[in-house]
């Protein structure tokens, strides 16, 4: 519990510049590019949280989650941004297209296809975030591995999908701030469901 609370607090601190900007933006579709910019700090913050949760000390008398978190942030900030930035840009294009879909003149099934691509991109991003947080691969290798594991480990992908649905439902029913307030437990669940991905990566793709 101490680790979860500490990691949650540090994640909010690390992502606070962007989260503060989101609070100032209205829900207008024209603000989507600005919202994407505000979400940029969230990638390194989440990667650092995954690192800290993965490396948490099992000795209850020697808990240093803050030290692990900031070490994870220093190690993973640049690698996370290398993947997080293009993912946000791609999702922004999809979201902007869907919010202005009637103006495109495309048939309705295109909207379904775009939504499916967006969901698939988010699931790919979940795998990429775990790999970035725990391994020191080049960005392009991480991207390839995330795509490979998207279909290789269906249970891990379904686990990420269930967390995505849970976050979306909580946002719709309760508050938009819910995913941020429960980020640490959600990331711990993602880490748990990604154990097959982590094990195979350690066994087959690391020296």
């Amino acid at each position: 519990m101490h680790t979860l609370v500490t990691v949650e607090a540090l994640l909010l601190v690390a992502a606070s510049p962007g989260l503060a900007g989101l609070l100032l933006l209205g829900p207008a579709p024209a603000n989507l590019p600005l919202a994407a910019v505000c979400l940029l700090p969230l990638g390194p913050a989440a990667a650092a949280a995954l690192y800290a949760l993965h490396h948490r000390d099992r000795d209850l008398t020697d808990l240093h989650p803050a030290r692990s978190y900031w070490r994870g942030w220093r190690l993973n900030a640049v690698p996370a941004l290398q993947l997080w930035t293009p993912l946000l840009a791609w999702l922004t294009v999809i979201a902007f297209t869907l919010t202005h879909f009637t103006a495109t003149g495309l048939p309705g099934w295109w909207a379904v296809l775009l939504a499916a691509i967006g969901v698939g991109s988010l699931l790919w991003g979940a795998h990429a975030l775990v790999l970035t947080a725990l391994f020191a691969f080049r960005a392009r290798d991480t991207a390839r591995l995330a795509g490979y594991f998207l279909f290789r480990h269906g249970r891990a992908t379904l686990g990420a999908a269930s967390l995505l649905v849970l976050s979306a439902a909580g946002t719709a029913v309760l508050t938009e701030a819910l995913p941020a307030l429960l980020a640490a437990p959600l990331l711990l669940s993602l880490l748990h469901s990604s154990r097959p991905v982590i094990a195979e990566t350690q066994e087959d793709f690391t020296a």
Side-chain angles (χ1 to χ4, degrees):
M1 183 61 69
H2 169 69
T3 298
L4 281 177
V5 172
T6 303
V7 169
E8 175 69 31
L10 292 174
L11 185 151
L12 292 176
V13 169
S16 60
L19 296 178
L22 283 177
L23 294 176
L24 301 176
L25 291 177
N31 289 330
L32 283 171
L34 291 175
V37 173
C38 290
L39 288 172
L40 282 175
L42 186 59
L50 285 168
Y51 179 93
L53 292 171
H54 180 72
H55 292 89
R56 64 191 186 278
D57 200 321
R58 301 295 181 177
D59 184 358
L60 296 180
T61 65
D62 186 26
L63 292 173
H64 299 287
R67 182 186 304 169
S68 295
Y69 183 91
W70 292 119
R71 174 176 170 78
W73 194 93
R74 290 192 300 271
L75 290 173
N76 297 314
V78 173
L81 281 175
Q82 289 176 335
L83 294 170
W84 185 246
T85 302
L87 176 61
L88 279 179
W90 174 238
L91 291 174
T92 300
V93 170
I94 292 176
F96 194 86
T97 303
L98 289 174
T99 54
H100 296 80
F101 191 76
T102 55
T104 65
L106 294 172
W109 61 268
W110 268 95
V112 177
L113 178 61
L114 284 173
I117 292 173
V119 171
S121 299
L122 283 171
L123 297 177
W124 171 89
H127 287 313
L129 192 64
V130 171
L131 293 172
T132 299
L134 305 185
F135 301 98
F137 297 127
R138 294 175 299 180
R140 62 186 179 184
D141 294 330
T142 301
R144 290 171 182 168
L145 281 174
Y148 168 73
F149 287 130
L150 193 62
F151 302 100
R152 167 71 172 171
H153 289 292
R155 285 189 177 182
T157 301
L158 285 175
S162 66
L163 294 175
L164 180 61
V165 171
L166 181 63
S167 299
T171 299
V173 175
L174 298 174
T175 171
E176 295 177 354
L178 187 65
L181 295 175
L182 296 179
L186 290 172
L187 289 172
L188 183 62
S189 297
L190 176 63
L191 201 60
H192 179 78
S193 65
S194 298
R195 285 185 300 179
V197 171
I198 297 169
E200 183 171 342
T201 303
Q202 289 174 330
E203 183 176 349
D204 296 342
F205 298 103
T206 59

